[in-house]
Amino acid sequence: QVQLQESGPGLVKPSETLSLTCSVSGGSMSPYYWSWIRQAPGKGLEWIGYTFYSGRMDHNPSLRSRVTMSQDTSKRQFSLTLKSVTAADTAVYFCARVNRKGGMDVWGKGTTVTVSS
Amino acid sequence: SYELTQSPSVSVSPGQTASINCSGDALPDQNVYWYQQRPGQAPVLVIYKDVERPSGIPERFSGSTSGTTVTLTISGVQAEDEADYYCQSVDRTSSYVIFGEGTKLTVL
């Protein structure tokens, strides 16, 4: 059974860079899309972006050029980097697998990131 | 930009049927996915491709479509169904993922 686990610092200072990693266990990274989603306190789900096992990536245009994603299939990990963070980036960050039918069928438990000095 | 619209809240008594709607202009041409999110937990996929139910999801969860509106129906609602429900689709032109604002289901 595939499981996902997010990891990274829980506290990031304003203007600095947020870096998170999602580790995949119990299955292969191919041929799936792997997605990042976040949820600000008391708010709904916001898609951040996805990466495909072949290397194709895309992200939410609202995050402009602040987002970078990468993956290391040999380590079965994919990562998110968000530059120049502000308090508005405070959220629970989830990673998820997008299955062949298009739905996000496996989710990590989420990791809370707070942006504060 | 493409948007999905959901009602903020729905309330039903145990044993009744809850209907949660999601509207969007492109929905006739795009698949919709539904997620259940209980407080403090990660979302769970409960319906995919408009009407399909993943294994392990109770039969009381079903999906339907009508024009620009898709509906998640929960028959015989139980207390454990109290949660936020989000619809999700993909923008046909950009391939960006879009979530609805979510609907809070309260079981009275």
Side-chain angles (χ1 to χ4, degrees):
Chain A
Q1 183 177 354
V2 175
Q3 293 184 319
L4 306 181
Q5 177 68 58
E6 305 90 348
S7 59
L11 181 63
V12 182
K13 290 182 168 55
S15 79
E16 294 191 346
T17 297
L18 179 163
S19 295
L20 297 174
T21 296
C22 183
S23 299
V24 181
S25 59
S28 171
M29 290 193 70
S30 67
Y32 300 99
Y33 283 85
W34 301 91
S35 196
W36 289 98
I37 305 97
R38 70 181 182 178
Q39 186 170 37
K43 301 296 185 182
L45 301 173
E46 179 184 24
W47 176 68
I48 298 172
Y50 57 61
T51 173
F52 193 45
Y53 79 101
S54 64
R56 177 192 169 190
M57 301 177 192
D58 215 338
H59 64 270
N60 191 326
S62 69
L63 295 170
R64 301 187 185 274
S65 59
R66 297 198 297 133
V67 171
T68 303
M69 291 175 291
S70 63
Q71 60 181 15
D72 187 334
T73 54
S74 65
K75 293 183 178 179
R76 289 193 290 177
Q77 293 179 337
F78 59 104
S79 300
L80 169 70
T81 299
L82 184 63
K83 300 184 297 185
S84 305
V85 298
T86 70
D89 296 309
T90 293
V92 177
Y93 286 75
F94 297 98
C95 58
R97 184 183 78 171
V98 184
N99 68 17
R100 296 180 180 89
K101 303 292 178 64
M104 299 181 199
D105 64 340
V106 181
W107 292 67
K109 293 183 178 180
T111 187
T112 299
V113 177
T114 301
V115 178
S116 175
S117 55
Chain B
S1 62
Y2 182 29
E3 293 182 349
L4 298 177
T5 301
Q6 295 183 243
S7 299
S9 63
V10 170
S11 299
V12 296
S13 298
Q16 290 189 329
T17 296
S19 296
I20 299 172
N21 294 326
C22 174
S23 299
D25 290 342
L27 289 186
D29 302 319
Q30 292 295 97
N31 290 321
V32 169
Y33 306 84
W34 287 97
Y35 302 88
Q36 175 195 65
Q37 186 181 30
R38 297 188 175 108
Q41 297 186 18
V44 173
L45 179 68
V46 294
I47 294 289
Y48 66 94
K49 295 183 74 174
D50 298 338
V51 299
E52 302 293 335
R53 191 174 55 249
S55 61
I57 300 302
E59 292 184 4
R60 63 180 182 273
F61 288 86
S62 64
S64 61
T65 71
S66 179
T68 59
T69 299
V70 295
T71 301
L72 171 68
T73 300
I74 310 172
S75 304
V77 166
Q78 301 181 6
E80 66 193 47
D81 299 330
E82 185 163 284
D84 293 325
Y85 290 85
Y86 294 90
C87 60
Q88 177 248 305
S89 189
V90 175
D91 185 304
R92 181 176 43 182
T93 55
S94 67
S95 296
Y96 297 150
V97 172
I98 301 160
F99 286 100
E101 310 104 315
T103 298
K104 181 176 182 59
L105 174 65
T106 299
V107 182
L108 302 170

